[in-house]
Amino acid sequence: MRLKFTMTSALATAASLMLSHAALAQAAQTFDEVVAKAKEEGALFIAISSPGVPEGHQALIKAFNERFGLNLRIEWTPTNPVQTGTRLIAEAGAAGSVDIVGNGGPQEVMVLKDRDIVKPYPWAEVFGKELNGFDEIANRPMEDLRGYVLPIVDVAYGISWNPNLIADEEVPSSWAELFDPKWKGKFSVNSLALNPLDYYTFAVGKDATLEMAEKTLDNEPVLERGTAAATRAVAIGQVPVGLSAFHIAQRTEGVKFKLFDDYVALNHTFIYVPETAPNPNAARLFAAWLVSEGMSVVEEFEKLPRAADVGSPLAKMVEDAKAKGAKILEEDSLANSSAAAETRAEISDMLTNR
């Protein structure tokens, strides 16, 4: 029995290695092969939440098809990446329905990576010489996710305020200032685990972050479904200030925005191609083009800031914050992401039990 088990294991290992080599060989396509196969596929199904302007979607589709001489039928649904991830997990083992997913952060990607729904691809090798600036962009993600994802938006969190309700100098410069009784019921925050409070785990630890969550809730914030909704609450005058993000505040009329002086939560979000993508070549070609050359098309309709884009408004804002002593809180490893996810889960339980 032991001999049989050993031989079976050896055969399974050999088969696994052969499959791995075959997969790598299949993945290591040339740029011209990707374009040719994309043309054969003829379609593309995108589930990316940002860019989110419909006019921008149409402009991107037109520019993409013209750039590569294609006539793909492209459907774009700006779906929340958590919902899309749940859908992909449910579809595991069956025919896929989504080609490109976004804009998930490391915690969202980690769930799919652990299930082999998202696997590595030689992005830089295939597209680096063909797309302007792509090689550097493809290597920006943390080492644990390099090859799995491409960077699309950096969500830099801070505080927004309504200048018709509060003077600039009265706006809190840290999350901790919101614990003051004078702010009771006068600020808005994302009801999803008080996002981005879980990032404070990287600076002060889980226990202190959970204490911050308790103090936040004790001061009776206006809880909104999402950071965009929390920002809208400020814009319409429901509250004078609210937790917000740079790119969301830019899109929202009637608010001003700044980063906190002590800590800046910076969430790197990505787009990625699942293994079940029905049109994998069209998906990879579009994804690589979007995060490089396609960003100039996006900029005509909305801002998708990335802190590593030299000279960009967000890059300057983050550098200024660092120069003043602010600590940047970001997920730079999957171990780091796991710690934040654990804190987030406990904050969610705290909200449920109140």
Side-chain angles (χ1 to χ4, degrees), residues 191-205:
S191 62
L192 178 61
L194 305 181
N195 188 47
L197 189 56
D198 56 316
Y199 273 44
Y200 280 69
T201 304
F202 309 146
V204 300

Side-chain angles (χ1 to χ4, degrees), residues 117-135:
I117 293 173
V118 176
K119 294 184 179 181
Y121 180 79
W123 292 101
E125 291 87 338
V126 175
F127 300 106
K129 295 180 181 178
E130 304 293 338
L131 299 174
N132 186 36
F134 180 78
D135 197 32

Side-chain angles (χ1 to χ4, degrees), residues 72-326:
L72 300 187
R73 177 175 58 85
I74 301 177
E75 296 181 16
W76 192 318
T77 305
T79 309
N80 181 290
V82 175
Q83 295 175 330
T84 307
T86 301
R87 175 179 173 182
L88 289 171
I89 292 170
E91 290 177 349
S97 59
V98 176
D99 287 310
I100 311 176
V101 185
N103 310 72
Q107 295 180 45
E108 287 74 35
V109 177
M110 185 168 58
V111 173
L112 302 180
K113 178 179 180 290
D114 288 346
R115 291 169 170 78
D116 288 331
I117 293 173
V118 176
K119 294 184 179 181
Y121 180 79
W123 292 101
E125 291 87 338
V126 175
F127 300 106
K129 295 180 181 178
E130 304 293 338
L131 299 174
N132 186 36
F134 180 78
D135 197 32
E136 184 271 330
I137 293 169
N139 285 295
R140 288 181 186 177
M142 68 168 78
E143 187 175 352
D144 291 341
L145 292 181
R146 206 164 295 152
Y148 291 86
V149 299
L150 295 174
I152 182 71
V153 185
D154 286 340
V155 184
Y157 292 95
I159 192 163
S160 63
W161 69 96
N162 187 321
N164 293 322
L165 300 178
I166 185 173
D168 294 359
E169 60 271 15
E170 296 175 350
V171 178
S173 294
S174 70
W175 193 307
E177 289 183 39
L178 292 169
F179 305 153
D180 191 307
K182 71 179 181 181
W183 294 109
K184 191 166 188 174
K186 296 180 179 179
F187 66 101
S188 57
V189 64
N190 189 343
S191 62
L192 178 61
L194 305 181
N195 188 47
L197 189 56
D198 56 316
Y199 273 44
Y200 280 69
T201 304
F202 309 146
V204 300
K206 184 176 76 170
D207 290 344
T209 303
L210 294 176
E211 185 178 347
M212 290 179 67
E214 291 279 9
K215 289 180 177 179
T216 300
L217 294 174
D218 286 344
N219 232 12
E220 300 178 5
V222 173
L223 297 174
E224 296 286 353
R225 294 176 62 87
T227 301
T231 306
R232 283 196 297 272
V234 176
I236 65 175
Q238 186 177 357
V239 287
V241 302
L243 276 297
S244 186
F246 173 70
H247 73 290
I248 292 174
Q250 280 197 320
R251 299 174 183 172
T252 308
E253 291 186 13
V255 303
K256 299 176 76 171
F257 175 85
K258 69 177 181 179
L259 301 176
F260 284 137
D261 289 347
D262 53 355
Y263 300 112
V264 175
L266 186 61
N267 180 22
H268 305 292
T269 71
F270 310 106
I271 57 175
Y272 31 99
V273 177
E275 286 296 294
T276 54
N279 306 290
N281 295 285
R284 289 173 177 134
L285 181 62
F286 184 86
W289 173 81
L290 174 60
V291 302
S292 53
E293 297 177 1
M295 295 299 278
S296 62
V297 179
V298 173
E299 287 291 315
E300 297 177 18
F301 298 89
E302 61 184 294
K303 302 297 182 184
L304 290 188
R306 294 184 297 199
D309 288 344
V310 178
S312 69
L314 178 58
K316 185 178 185 306
M317 183 176 283
V318 171
E319 287 304 314
D320 287 347
K322 289 165 66 175
K324 294 175 182 176

